[in-house]
Amino acid sequence: MPTRSIFGAQWGDEGKGKIIDLLAREADYVVRYQGGPNAGHTVVVNGNKFILRLVPSGILHPGKVNVIGNGVAVDPLSLFGEVKELTERGVTVDPRCLRVSAGAHVIFEHHKKIDALSERWRGAGRIGTTGRGIGPCYADKAARTGLRVADLLEPARLRARLTAVLVEKNALIESVHREAPFDLEQSLAQYSQVAERLAPFVADTGSEVRHAWKQGKSILFEGAQGAMLDIDHGTYPYVTSSNTGTAGIGTGAGFPPTQVERVLGVAKAYCTRVGEGPFPSEDKEKDGDTIREVGREFGSVTGRPRRCGWLDLVALRYALDLNGATGLVLTNLDVLSVFDQIPVCVAYDVPGQKGPVSEYPAHLPDIEGVRPRYERMPGWRVDIGAARRYGDLPKATRDYVEWVEERIGVPIELLSVGPERDAVIPRTA
Ligand code: IMP
């Protein structure tokens, strides 16, 4: 059975949730391997909108096993908030369909606090994080002071480790940031309680997924955020704290990435970004506002208005190349229907370099000063939201899709033309 991965090929919010939900129908396991509740995967089912943060998007299909891998930063309070919401809306979430890795790192309240305080400390240099404690949790993982899900389940270990951790964190919070410290006994009580609820869901997920795969089960890996937010290969330091694509599968799911057969990037037919950092094809004028309005481009986790701009083929080719993409899903194509002309960024002008550059610059100082070069494609000015077959699309839309496809070097396999589950078009010849 095939192993597939879906990753964001831009700055996140590409519409991955819907595509994962679609492909989850054919999967036995849906596996998250990085990120945490900073993600907000939106799936619309019969007009009902679900926003999934930590729970994999396969949960909306009964009978699938959904895995939160060891590379995910798990906020147990947020997880059970999400489970409660899902359950209240009739979705079954129990240990048969959801597993949480014993090795996943835990986001504590102090991580969220430090996330906010660090942003304040950075001032104008802030990253614009989601405030979910992601950076501080992964920092502790790398510093080897983090607590993992397995540590929560052992009371003596939890007490010993949390005591040591809070001494250090409280010193930082009080001395540097001049804020009130966390109370150890209160934190212990809070997390001991949640540990009891978490226990039935905890498993050795890497081993389970590898076994399932060997037995012929179909595995779908669900990436969060996007390639340009990757800690190593994105627009550092304006990135998240994990490896957001193929590379993250090995470390974050305990599954060999060499065995992933199909790797699908997801990109919008334009670009958005939340938070700070370079965005060469951003449109700060009227057209950017139009994209935001028509595309409802507001953060699903934080509600922040997203920065909007045009499709950036330089960044997209880089993202697809980096992750070994075998195909692309182009989403939100319907949003472009309101434009007479559609600019697409095909190259950059980089300060100090002669002529246009079509390779993504590796260093932030280069990328910060780049100016986009656009080619303009004719728009189609027709509502395409009801189209379900490639042949139903206006010729100008098909021309746009095929023009993009020629320039990215991988096939466009699917198009999405609306938020609903069925608003997708397989790309046929
Ligand atoms: P963090 O992941 O909360 O630390 O935020 C770091 C950067 O990644 C900020 O610019 C966030 O806006 C961005 N980010 C994190 N998660 C997402 C996401 O799911 N979609 C889009 N941007 C995200």
Side-chain angles (χ1 to χ4, degrees):
M1 291 299 271
T3 44
R4 285 192 282 196
S5 109
I6 301 281
F7 72 95
Q10 294 167 324
W11 280 276
D13 308 317
E14 298 92 349
K16 294 180 290 295
K18 177 180 146 169
I19 306 303
I20 293 155
D21 168 73
L22 184 79
L23 298 183
R25 286 178 203 171
E26 299 157 29
D28 299 301
Y29 279 71
V30 182
V31 183
R32 274 279 304 266
Y33 54 90
Q34 47 72 231
N38 50 349
H41 293 170
T42 306
V43 185
V44 181
V45 185
N46 302 329
N48 296 313
K49 187 168 166 177
F50 292 88
I51 298 175
L52 299 157
R53 298 181 179 89
L54 268 167
V55 176
S57 305
I59 201 74
L60 302 176
H61 295 276
K64 312 290 174 192
V65 181
N66 293 274
V67 172
I68 297 179
N70 64 281
V72 177
V74 175
D75 177 344
L77 306 176
S78 163
L79 176 64
F80 283 114
E82 198 176 331
V83 169
K84 182 168 177 275
E85 266 175 51
L86 285 166
T87 312
E88 281 170 1
R89 295 179 69 187
V91 179
T92 305
V93 189
D94 63 27
R96 278 168 303 168
C97 62
L98 180 69
R99 314 258 203 277
V100 180
S101 169
H105 276 255
V106 177
I107 299 179
F108 285 87
E109 290 293 288
H110 60 260
H111 288 128
K112 289 180 254 184
K113 181 79 180 173
I114 292 170
D115 195 355
L117 293 174
S118 302
E119 281 285 85
R120 194 172 79 187
W121 187 259
R122 289 182 195 113
R126 71 183 177 280
I127 294 164
T129 71
T130 59
R132 298 297 188 267
I134 303 296
C137 176
Y138 280 119
D140 281 359
K141 173 179 177 175
R144 290 148 295 169
T145 50
L147 273 84
R148 309 205 289 179
V149 164
D151 299 320
L152 280 191
L153 306 188
E154 285 180 51
R157 197 169 166 78
L158 172 62
R159 173 171 285 278
R161 299 214 54 177
L162 196 58
T163 305
V165 163
L166 277 189
V167 169
E168 191 191 354
K169 302 301 174 195
N170 279 339
L172 173 77
I173 291 168
E174 285 184 283
S175 310
V176 177
H177 299 290
R178 309 268 169 220
E179 294 255 345
F182 281 86
D183 180 76
L184 173 67
E185 293 307 324
Q186 217 176 330
S187 295
L188 274 172
Q190 190 176 29
Y191 285 91
S192 306
Q193 214 175 31
V194 87
E196 264 179 50
R197 289 193 66 191
L198 195 57
F201 294 90
V202 179
D204 177 353
T205 57
S207 161
E208 181 174 344
V209 172
R210 290 193 303 276
H211 273 106
W213 170 66
K214 284 180 190 158
Q215 284 163 8
K217 303 280 188 214
S218 163
I219 320 282
L220 178 63
F221 293 97
E222 171 174 359
Q225 290 81 51
M228 305 311 287
L229 290 173
D230 184 281
I231 178 112
D232 287 287
H233 303 286
T235 52
Y236 190 90
Y238 301 101
V239 291
T240 190
S241 301
S242 59
N243 288 119
T244 54
T246 310
I249 295 173
T251 53
F255 187 85
T258 46
Q259 303 301 342
V260 180
E261 291 157 54
R262 286 178 64 201
V263 179
L264 276 180
V266 182
K268 280 184 208 169
Y270 49 90
C271 275
T272 61
R273 173 164 202 167
V274 222
E276 309 301 319
F279 179 3
S281 63
E282 181 170 13
D283 187 318
K284 294 184 177 166
E285 310 293 328
K286 199 169 79 352
D287 283 348
D289 293 340
T290 304
I291 294 177
R292 187 175 309 106
E293 257 167 59
V294 179
R296 299 165 297 275
E297 294 294 355
F298 296 88
S300 50
V301 172
T302 59
R304 290 182 288 180
R306 295 178 183 143
R307 298 157 64 192
C308 297
W310 303 107
L311 185 63
D312 179 343
L313 291 182
V314 183
L316 181 57
R317 272 196 301 265
Y318 168 73
L320 297 173
D321 204 26
L322 175 70
N323 287 287
T326 56
L328 179 74
V329 181
L330 197 62
T331 61
N332 293 30
L333 192 56
D334 54 310
V335 175
L336 294 183
S337 301
V338 296
F339 295 105
D340 290 327
Q341 277 203 331
I342 302 166
V344 179
C345 171
V346 291
Y348 299 150
D349 285 311
V350 179
Q353 286 202 40
K354 257 197 182 165
V357 168
S358 52
E359 286 266 319
Y360 196 78
H363 299 296
L364 188 59
D366 294 337
I367 190 73
E368 265 183 338
V370 307
R371 293 179 65 81
R373 279 203 183 191
Y374 290 113
E375 281 191 32
R376 287 177 165 72
M377 296 295 292
W380 44 89
R381 281 292 196 172
V382 179
D383 182 1
I384 56 169
R388 294 293 175 266
R389 285 177 315 179
Y390 193 61
D392 295 342
L393 291 171
K395 179 158 183 323
T397 317
R398 286 183 276 130
D399 286 348
Y400 176 80
V401 170
E402 287 161 35
W403 183 88
V404 169
E405 190 175 53
E406 263 173 44
R407 279 154 188 79
I408 56 172
V410 298
I412 294 178
E413 297 190 12
L414 267 183
L415 305 166
S416 166
V417 291
E420 273 289 338
R421 227 180 200 177
D422 71 335
V424 284
I425 304 177
R427 161 84 167 86
T428 47

